[in-house]
Amino acid sequence: MPKKQNRTKLPKDKFFEKIEALGEALTFDDVRLKSGYSEVMPDDVNLESKFSRNILLKIPIVSAAMDTVTEHKMAIEIAKLGGLGIIHKNLTPEMQVQEVCKVKYYLNGLIDKPICVNHNETIEAILKMREKREYGFHTFPVINDNGEIVGIITRNDFDFCDNHSVRAWEIMTKSVITADSKTSLEEVYKIMTQKKKKALPLVDKKGKVDGMYVLKDVKRVLLKNPSGYNLDKKGQLRVGAAIGVNDFDRIEKLIGKHIDVAVIDTAHADTKSVISMLKKIKSYCKIDVVVGNVSELESAKRLADAGADGIKVGQGPGSICTTRVIAGIGSPQVSAVYKCSKVADEYGIPICADGGLKNSGDIPIAIGAGASSVMMGGMLAGTKESPGEVVFKEGRQWKSYRGMGSIGAMETNKGSRERYGQVATGKSELIAEGVEGLKAYKGELKEVIFQYLGGLKRGMGYVGAEDIESLRRKADFMKITSAGKDESHPHDILITKEPPNYQVGN
Ligand code: XMP
C-alpha cells in the first residue's frame, strides 16, 4: 500500500469547502486567483515541476495524447522547451514505438542501440532506410557479417559521395576510434576532443557495438543542460506514451524503447479494468504510470491506493469534449482538480489538470487549485508541430483538431474506441463523446509556449509564488459573477489589433 502523509491546511481550503457545502463546483471562468503581497519578479520564478512521482518537468506543460496534437514532432519540440509530450495511441504498437524512438533518438547522451549498417550495404540503400525511418542523423557504425565494428560513416562521407551505388566499406572511415562500453562520460569527452571525433562508438570485448556517444549531446550533458531541455538521465529527451486498458502488449513494446512514463488513457479511470491494468504494469516493471481521467476525490484515492504515480484529472472539460452533455456527468474542472489534489498531497503524487484551458491565465488557476502540471490539447493544436496539414479556408490557415471520442477518431481507430469503452461496437452504433473541427494555424510551438509561460509567470508574480509548489500552496481564490467575467475581458472597445496572447471570443 503506498505511504500516506497528513495534508496541511491550505488558504484555498475554506473557499472550496464553502462551494462544496453548497453542492456547487467551479471551472476556470468562475474563479480568479487573489493577488497578494509579493517580492517575486515574474522573470525570476522557477517553473520546474513533476508529471509523475519520478518524471520531472522544466515547465509544467504536457501535450495531450491526441492524434491531432502529439506525435514525434510535438513531443520533440515540447521536451526541448522543458515540457513533455504523450504520444497518442491511435497508432499500432509498432507505429507508436517508432514515434517514441524518433523522440529518443533526436538527441542522445548515450545512444543505447545505435543504428549500424552492414559493410556491404550500398549508400543508396542506407540513404533510403534513413529517409524511410525519418532519422535526423547521418552517423552509422559499420559492421561486418559477424556484427563486429569495421568502420564508421558520417555526414561528410555522404556529402562527398557522388556515386550512391558504392558500398559502405568503400567510403567509410576504417580506422574508427572506439572506447570500451564502460568508459565514463568525462573520459568519452576527453577522447572525442583529443581525437577530434564527433561520434564515439562503444565496443564490447567481442568487438560488437554496445552504444555510441555524439559530441554535441555529451557537451550538453556535461554542461548541465544549459538549454532547459527536459532530459532523462541518459541525456535523451523525455517522452511518454498513452496505452489502453487491455494493452499489455503495447506496454511491453514501449518499455523496450525506454519511454519515461506510461499514461493509461481512458475517459473513466475509476474502473476495475483500469485498476487491474495499473497493478499489472506496476508489478511487471518500474516505469512510472500516470492514470486518468477522473474528477472525484474518491476515484483519485482508489488510483493512488492501486499504485498510480500520477493522476490525470478532467472528465469533459476539453474544448472538443461532449461527454458532459452526452452522458450528463463530470465535475467542472477547477473543483475537480482541487478535490483530487487533496489525495495528491496525502500520497505525494502529482496531479495533471487535463483539458479545458483556454488562456494562459488558466494555467496558474489550474496549478493554484492543486495541479502540478497542465495537459493541453486545443491550446497546442494548430501549431506547426501538431500532426496534419495546414488547410486554407475563408482566407485563413487552419489545422484540424478533433476529440479522441469523435466519430472520425473512433471509426478509424481502436485506441479511440477503447478510450470510450466502445471497442466492440460496430461503426454505425458508435456514441460520440467529442467533435471534429479546425483550429486557426498558430505557427511555431516555441512562440506559443513563450506566451503561455509569460502568463503563468505573471500570475505567480501577482500571487507572490516563487515556484510551482508555492503557487499550489499559497493560492487562494474568489468566485466571480458573469459581470466579473465580462469585466475581466477587454470591453467597450473595438479591438483592431489582437495581441499574441489574446484572441477575441475566448
Ligand atoms: P482541451 O481543452 O485542451 O482538452 O482541448 C484536451 C483533453 O480533452 C480530452 N479529450 C476528450 N474528452 N471527448 C472527451 O470528452 C473527446 O472526444 C476527447 N478527446 C480528448 C483529453 O483528456 C485531452 O487531453
Side-chain angles (χ1 to χ4, degrees), residues 357-369:
L357 293 99
K358 291 189 287 192
N359 292 295
S360 60
D362 294 338
I363 310 172
I365 290 178
I367 295 172

Side-chain angles (χ1 to χ4, degrees), residues 19-41:
I19 297 291
E20 275 175 35
L22 294 171
E24 290 182 358
L26 304 174
T27 193
F28 295 105
D29 280 349
D30 296 322
V31 296
R32 291 297 101 179
L33 288 160
K34 287 185 182 172
S35 66
Y37 174 73
S38 176
E39 293 182 4
V40 176
M41 298 305 291

Side-chain angles (χ1 to χ4, degrees), residues 238-249:
R238 284 203 167 104
V239 62
I243 56 166
V245 271
N246 299 311
D247 247 357
F248 207 72
D249 172 47

Side-chain angles (χ1 to χ4, degrees), residues 10 12 16 33 337-338 341 362-371 468 471-477:
L10 297 174
K12 64 191 165 209
F16 282 107
L33 288 160
V337 169
Y338 170 72
S341 76
D362 294 338
I363 310 172
I365 290 178
I367 295 172
I468 297 296
L471 178 56
R472 287 186 76 241
R473 308 219 148 263
K474 269 193 159 176
D476 199 1
F477 288 84

